[in-house]
Each structure stands twice: as structure tokens, then as C-alpha cells.
Amino acid sequence: MVRRTSAEFVGRADYTAEEKFEMVLGAVRAVVVGGAKIQDALAKTLGATDHTAEIHFEPGETGDVTHSFRPTEAVSRRGHVEEVERLLDELVEDVKRAD
Amino acid sequence: MPIRANLLANLQQALNATVTPNLTATSHGDDLYEAYVWSIVLEAARTRGATTSFKDVHGNSVTGQFVFRTSPCEIWWDAQNYCHAELAFNGCPELEVHVGIYVAGRSMVRHECDVAVLHKSEADLCRSRHVLPRASKVVLAVECKYYMNSTPGLALGRAFLGLRDEIQKDNRFFVATSHSASVDKLLSKHTRDYDLQLSPVTPHNVDVMRGTFEQVFGNFKARHR
């Protein structure tokens, strides 16, 4: 009598178009919108309204990457961020209607 | 119904105006994220009546140039003019809020705190004597995980639970930008002090976490009246 055994195989399933769209949308919201909003929130908290004020990021014990931004630039991008969010919502609406 | 005419072009134009030119591939979102969580802590303190000021590592007031750490170091380290916030609640000991400092755990091993609120008296002592802050003097600590392309691994959740044992369980928070079902399940068995989707694009979650931080400061004030 032959004993049956089970086996599992790993296959590949490509992302569907909807999944790809959701991933891109998530990435734009998280990185572009989220990044700009984080900078804006920091600018508000620090109350740095002088155009010469800067927020720096410097390494501590390890690392050598430094970066900085001006709070006034973050504030000036506020309107554009709101516009991006509005347009992304419209895009989601249009894609849902097209389905 | 097709996509609205010019929607994609308008979106591209708006994105161009929004993308931060100086946030390059070499600068880290996690640095910004830790500073962002730091700002949420400050907002919570202000809502509870704290007056805030900004000081550098030498105790000087900071107005124009703010420096955050991108990797942890000792609280007294002055390789750069690292800044922190001071919180003053009426009738209570003063507090300091830092990004990226080491504190001493129960085992006297140093552990990094992405965001830490500690007694100013302890901070001053540590800066003058070059010693690590004691975990018992840390009022609130947050571990921050910024994930874009992946989700926090289970090892991070386990490490956080271990850290809570080392630097006391109360008011130790874990926040991340990306949800992980396994980490969610693990942490939910041991603590309520976490959020795996904390970012400015989830404003409700930010409001809830800010409210939790406000409760910590409220309890602090109540203990010192």
C-alpha cells in the first residue's frame, strides 16, 4: 500500500494592478505627505519663525550623516501638502468609479 | 468613468512643490520621526500647562539653530550643540525632553531611549558628573520605529518588552509607522502603551497618543502637589 504524503510548494504571485496602486498611494502619503507634515509639526513646536532658523540633525556616538531644513520652508509647503492630499483623494475616487 | 482630465498632471505639479529638496536618500526618515514624536510629547506637556523652553547641552537658551541627535549618545556629550526642551509645571520638579540619549537600566547596562522625559535635576547631575541617568528618574520613554518598505519584525517587539523590564514598565511606549500583525499580537498581551500606525497621516492615532502622554504628565503633576 502506497502511503500518501503531502507537500508544499512556494510559488510566485505578482501584485495585481489594485495592489500596486495601493502601494504607490501609501508610499506617497507616507513619504511625501508624511515627511512634509513631520517637518511642519516640528516647525510649529519649535516656534521658529525667523527665516534664518534651522533644524539640524547631527550624529551622536555613531554615524556621519547630517541633514537640516529651515522651518520657514516647511511652513511655506503647507498649502501644497493640502493640495496633494486633496488630489490623492480625487484620484482614489476616480479609480474606484472606474472599477 | 475615466480619471479626471489633468488630475495626474496637477498631482505631479503639487508633488514637485511638496517634495523636500534637502531630504535626500542619505538623510533618514527615522531621524525626523523621532523628533516628531518628541514634538508630540511637548504638545502634550503644553496642553497640561507646562511652559517650555529650549536649551543646548551647555544650558544656553536656543532660539534659531536646533540640533537633534541622529544616533544616541550620552546626555553630557557636547560634540555637537544638541538641544533639548525643558518643561516647567507649576509647583513640580522641572523636566527635560531629549531625543536619543542613553540611560542606565536595572542591570547598570546603558540602553538607548529614542525620546526620553527625565527630571532636570537628574539631567544636571549626569551632565556635571558624566554619568548615565537612572531609569527611575525617566518619567516617560518612547521607542520609535520608522518603516516605509517593510514592517517591524517580531524581534523588535521582544526587544521592547525586554527593555521595559530593564528600565521600568510604566510609561514606556513603542510607536511605529507601519503595522505588523505579529508585533501587534505580541505587544497587546503585555502592554497597551504602543501604536503601530503613528504618523501625521493618521491624525486620530496621533491625537490618542498625545492624550496618553497628557495622562502621564497629569499623573506626574498629581504626585507632586
Side-chain angles (χ1 to χ4, degrees):
Chain A
M1 188 173 165
V2 175
R3 192 174 172 185
R4 287 176 181 272
T5 55
S6 62
E8 264 186 23
F9 293 88
V10 176
R12 176 191 162 91
D14 286 331
Y15 289 115
T16 63
E18 289 81 7
E19 283 170 333
K20 285 178 187 172
F21 175 69
E22 288 297 329
M23 275 165 40
V24 169
L25 199 64
V28 171
R29 284 198 204 276
V31 178
V32 180
V33 176
K37 283 190 165 186
I38 283 176
Q39 289 186 334
D40 193 26
L42 268 176
K44 275 188 201 158
T45 299
L46 291 168
T49 52
D50 186 335
H51 70 280
T52 63
E54 250 184 309
I55 298 172
H56 301 268
F57 294 85
E58 300 284 347
E61 198 176 73
T62 57
D64 55 8
V65 172
T66 66
H67 53 103
S68 63
F69 71 94
R70 290 188 191 281
T72 47
E73 288 169 1
V75 170
S76 70
R77 275 197 297 275
R78 219 175 267 164
H80 299 296
V81 171
E82 285 164 8
E83 179 69 359
V84 165
E85 284 187 292
R86 187 185 66 79
L87 291 169
L88 285 175
D89 288 342
E90 278 184 13
L91 182 62
V92 168
E93 237 178 77
D94 286 357
V95 166
K96 275 184 185 160
R97 281 202 210 113
D99 279 345
Chain B
M1 179 184 167
I3 293 174
R4 268 164 263 210
N6 299 324
L7 176 54
L8 293 177
N10 292 341
L11 184 54
Q12 185 161 12
Q13 199 171 4
L15 280 170
N16 287 342
T18 309
V19 167
T20 314
N22 55 353
L23 198 66
T24 64
T26 57
S27 61
H28 301 289
D30 47 5
D31 303 331
L32 270 177
Y33 188 60
E34 288 174 10
Y36 172 64
V37 174
W38 174 90
S39 75
I40 297 173
V41 171
L42 251 69
E43 281 174 33
R46 283 172 176 165
T47 305
R48 280 292 179 150
T51 54
T52 57
S53 56
F54 303 107
K55 298 283 172 71
D56 65 20
V57 68
H58 302 290
N60 303 315
S61 291
V62 177
T63 50
Q65 306 296 313
F66 302 90
V67 182
F68 289 103
R69 300 176 186 85
T70 61
S71 60
C73 64
E74 275 74 0
I75 197 170
W76 69 85
W77 204 345
D78 60 0
Q80 302 291 340
N81 218 20
Y82 306 112
C83 301
H84 61 271
E86 283 185 4
L87 307 178
F89 291 100
N90 198 25
C92 299
E94 285 183 313
L95 301 172
E96 292 189 1
V97 192
H98 290 259
V99 169
I101 59 169
Y102 287 115
V103 302
R106 289 177 200 270
S107 58
M108 301 312 285
V109 170
R110 71 174 192 177
H111 295 280
E112 59 177 278
C113 285
D114 292 334
V115 177
V117 179
L118 68 160
H119 288 250
K120 182 177 179 334
S121 56
E122 181 79 358
D124 287 338
L125 182 79
C126 295
R127 277 188 289 262
S128 67
R129 295 193 186 175
H130 288 201
V131 294
L132 291 175
R134 291 164 289 176
S136 59
K137 298 296 182 182
V138 177
V139 173
L140 182 158
V142 191
E143 184 154 342
C144 310
K145 296 296 172 191
Y146 182 81
Y147 282 83
M148 283 298 112
N149 298 324
S150 57
T151 58
L154 202 52
L156 285 173
R158 285 194 215 109
F160 171 68
L161 292 177
L163 192 66
R164 283 174 77 242
D165 281 335
E166 257 286 277
I167 55 171
Q168 296 183 4
K169 287 189 169 62
D170 292 338
N171 306 325
R172 306 291 177 243
F173 297 86
F174 182 97
V175 299
T177 54
S178 188
H179 182 263
S180 156
S182 57
V183 175
D184 198 359
K185 199 169 183 177
L186 173 70
L187 293 181
S188 66
K189 289 285 184 192
H190 300 275
T191 177
R192 287 175 296 183
D193 297 337
Y194 72 98
D195 190 322
L196 299 179
Q197 285 183 300
L198 186 84
S199 87
V201 297
T202 52
H204 171 72
N205 294 14
V206 174
D207 289 342
V208 171
M209 187 56 67
R210 188 189 300 114
T212 306
F213 294 157
E214 287 177 27
Q215 191 62 47
V216 172
F217 290 123
N219 293 343
F220 173 78
K221 286 170 65 177
R223 281 198 302 276
H224 290 93
R225 283 214 182 96

